[in-house]
Amino acid sequence: MAEDEKSGEPATDNNELQVFKELVDELYNFRDCYFETHSVEEAGRKQSDVAQEMEKTLKKLEEKEDVYEHKTEFLLQKGRCLNVAPGFSAVAEKCLSRAVKLEPGLVDGWNTLGEQYWKKGDLIGSKNCFTGALQQSKNKVSLRNLSMVLRQLPAVNSDAHSKQVMESVDMARLAVQLDVTDGTSWYILGNAYVSLFFNCGQNPQLSQQALSAYAQSEKVDRAACCYPELHFNRATLFQYEEMFGCALEGYSRAAALDPGWEDPPEKEKTLLEYLEKVTDLVQKKGTVKARRLRNMLSNLNTSALGPCSSPQFRSPTGRVGSLEPRTLSSLSHGHNAGVAALGKVVFSMASEGRMSFAFGMVDSEETCMVVMVYNTANSWGVLIGDSVVIPEPQLKRHSITHKDKSFDFKSIRVDSPLLLIVNGKKQNVNSQIAASVSYKPQCE
């Protein structure tokens, strides 16, 4: 029998082992490109269809197990086959552990074993596998998986966590650099930027980098358009950026692509309810009766401006000088420099997950507008009847249509309660805390 010069194994064995690899590659292609051959209406069947294909592939492998059970390549492919399922497999772990013991330089073995440890909840073991694989060879799979693990690892304090997040961004960037046509790497880079955005000061540039990475993921890889996690994570960022229509579409798309995942439809429903409540309260000017509202507004005067009336007042943009009080109706869209909005609180509400704290403000003309304040501590809020001044307000018009619902209202965005003047006073530093949102890592 002829032998393969490189491996020293019989050529027929190598040929058959190559067939096993191709079978498992086809299985992954079936899972990852499912919606290229199936409609979104069939999404509910995806998990069972993949499980069925996995069983077929596993059966073909096991027919030859007696012959190849001690071969590294066979153990690798059996482990990879079982790893296609979303949950942990003890059999896969055993196969892959044996494979890397037989061949410590087996990068695919270390990467797949790392994914099994991830699914098992052993993040340290997972990190060690990916790090070990990188010591053998610099590769995109280890880099992007390490990026995900670094963001999930517990940290002793916030500084250590921020450092891990920044390191995870570096890993994801390196993965993209190794193959700019890999949609999964771009998607994971997008997630890394989202995490960095919420952990390191919410720099708008990071938000744009995240959205660009997600867009690039879809551009270079058709399969990426069908990642429910991509649509969900991007929708979470859209919601924080007050791009509510895009957020609703993203949650809806994620729900359609993975009908068994409860979070997307729940987020969509909660956001719709929030928008309905906000628009209703704005139209009604809260629940304050007309007589009480007139009494509240009768004592609304420029004394409420507090420090904003001082020539030494420094605006959020760095401008120094007193601010001119303006009515809500006179504000222009976008940033209103050199002016301040002044009004009375007529309702307040925290959004789901306290992504923002919203309150309704009525001015001297009885115009009502919603104010959305971000990065508020749980203990912070405003009460009905409070006087509020918003220096250099950022005005936005929302016109949203989603399914059979429509919303049209204006809002003022405030990135921190420290920017507000409440009852003539600046807010203390304890009123602010960094916002946090949840997103789904793909490997989970």
Side-chain angles (χ1 to χ4, degrees):
M1 184 181 292
E3 286 192 347
D4 183 284
E5 289 181 11
K6 184 178 179 182
S7 66
E9 298 289 344
T12 52
D13 286 3
N14 281 339
N15 290 341
E16 196 153 30
L17 290 168
Q18 178 62 27
V19 169
F20 294 155
K21 180 183 183 304
E22 289 169 2
L23 282 171
V24 176
D25 286 346
E26 286 173 15
L27 172 62
Y28 275 82
N29 189 64
F30 178 81
R31 182 195 69 179
D32 297 339
C33 302
Y34 185 84
F35 293 105
E36 290 186 17
T37 52
H38 298 76
S39 67
V40 175
E41 287 71 30
E42 296 173 277
R45 289 173 35 198
K46 180 182 176 181
Q47 198 166 327
S48 60
D49 285 353
V50 171
Q52 195 174 10
E53 289 300 311
M54 185 189 82
E55 288 301 325
K56 286 181 191 174
T57 305
L58 189 60
K59 188 177 179 183
K60 289 177 183 177
L61 291 172
E62 290 177 339
E63 286 172 357
K64 296 286 187 176
E65 190 145 22
D66 290 344
V67 180
Y68 296 112
E69 61 180 327
H70 300 299
K71 299 285 186 184
T72 305
E73 184 66 19
F74 179 82
L75 292 166
L76 170 63
Q77 298 312 328
K78 185 175 179 182
R80 285 185 67 223
C81 176
L82 291 163
N83 186 59
V84 85
F88 168 73
S89 164
V91 177
E93 181 188 15
K94 184 180 177 182
C95 288
L96 295 161
S97 296
R98 285 180 61 200
V100 295
K101 281 178 184 175
L102 288 168
E103 192 177 324
L106 192 64
V107 172
D108 283 352
W110 285 115
N111 281 335
T112 315
L113 182 59
E115 289 179 19
Q116 279 297 309
Y117 282 140
W118 172 288
K119 293 172 183 179
K120 190 181 181 180
D122 182 358
L123 295 177
I124 299 296
S126 181
K127 180 188 175 187
N128 290 339
C129 286
F130 300 136
T131 304
L134 285 169
Q135 288 170 352
Q136 302 297 329
S137 171
K138 193 175 179 182
N139 68 94
K140 63 184 180 182
V141 175
S142 299
L143 286 165
R144 69 194 186 203
N145 283 350
L146 191 55
S147 172
M148 289 190 285
V149 171
L150 285 168
R151 294 197 301 277
Q152 299 298 311
L153 280 172
V156 291
N157 54 47
S158 59
D159 287 344
H161 181 62
S162 295
K163 188 178 178 182
Q164 285 175 195
V165 171
M166 286 188 275
E167 192 181 344
S168 84
V169 173
D170 290 338
M171 295 293 120
R173 279 181 184 143
L174 287 171
V176 166
Q177 287 168 12
L178 287 179
D179 183 1
V180 295
T181 65
D182 191 300
T184 302
S185 295
W186 278 108
Y187 159 66
I188 289 166
L189 178 59
N191 284 352
Y193 278 131
V194 169
S195 189
L196 189 60
F197 174 77
F198 285 108
N199 279 279
C200 300
Q202 291 151 37
N203 183 335
Q205 187 179 353
L206 294 173
S207 169
Q208 287 307 308
Q209 285 175 307
L211 294 176
S212 295
Y214 288 143
Q216 193 66 15
S217 175
E218 292 179 305
K219 182 180 177 181
V220 301
D221 184 357
R222 285 185 300 172
C225 299
C226 298
Y227 292 164
E229 301 91 351
L230 185 151
H231 293 283
F232 180 82
N233 294 344
R234 182 166 55 189
T236 303
L237 188 56
F238 279 147
Q239 183 173 343
Y240 185 84
E241 297 284 18
E242 296 184 2
M243 300 167 69
F244 298 123
C246 294
L248 289 166
E249 286 299 320
Y251 291 139
S252 180
R253 181 67 174 166
L257 291 167
D258 189 353
W261 186 12
E262 295 177 357
D263 289 351
E266 184 59 34
K267 287 271 194 179
E268 181 185 9
K269 176 174 174 284
T270 304
L271 180 53
L272 281 170
E273 288 172 351
Y274 174 75
L275 294 171
E276 283 177 359
K277 192 171 181 181
V278 163
T279 50
D280 182 58
L281 285 168
V282 167
Q283 286 169 4
K284 292 177 179 176
K285 299 175 186 174
T287 53
V288 178
K289 292 183 178 177
R291 185 175 176 181
R292 186 187 173 195
L293 180 60
R294 284 194 296 273
N295 286 337
M296 282 164 51
L297 294 175
S298 67
N299 61 26
L300 180 67
N301 54 58
T302 54
S303 65
L305 288 169
C308 294
S309 60
S310 167
Q312 282 78 45
F313 180 75
R314 183 178 289 274
S315 297
T317 55
R319 176 190 175 278
V320 176
S322 60
L323 299 180
E324 178 193 343
R326 286 277 183 88
T327 60
L328 295 173
S329 62
S330 68
L331 297 177
S332 56
H333 290 286
H335 180 246
N336 288 263
V339 304
L342 170 63
K344 288 281 187 176
V345 176
V346 290
F347 69 83
S348 66
M349 57 187 285
S351 67
E352 178 269 335
R354 202 168 173 107
M355 192 179 281
S356 68
F357 181 94
F359 66 88
M361 188 168 91
V362 173
D363 68 2
S364 57
E365 295 180 339
E366 296 196 19
T367 301
C368 186
M369 200 171 286
V370 65
V371 181
M372 296 181 183
V373 190
Y374 292 80
N375 302 299
T376 61
N378 288 334
S379 58
W380 185 86
V382 290
L383 302 174
I384 291 174
D386 281 349
S387 297
V388 176
V389 174
I390 307 171
E392 301 196 326
Q394 189 81 22
L395 184 71
K396 187 169 184 178
R397 166 86 178 270
H398 303 275
S399 186
I400 305 153
T401 301
H402 182 69
K403 296 181 177 175
D404 59 341
K405 298 183 185 296
S406 294
F407 309 97
D408 198 319
F409 63 98
K410 292 178 181 178
S411 73
I412 295 174
R413 182 188 180 99
V414 181
D415 286 327
S416 167
L418 298 178
L419 302 175
L420 295 173
I421 310 298
V422 181
N423 297 325
K425 296 177 182 177
K426 286 185 174 183
Q427 301 303 282
N428 68 51
V429 72
N430 295 327
S431 64
Q432 176 179 279
I433 189 170
S436 62
V437 299
S438 58
Y439 66 92
K440 184 179 173 74
Q442 193 181 34
C443 198
E444 205 164 45

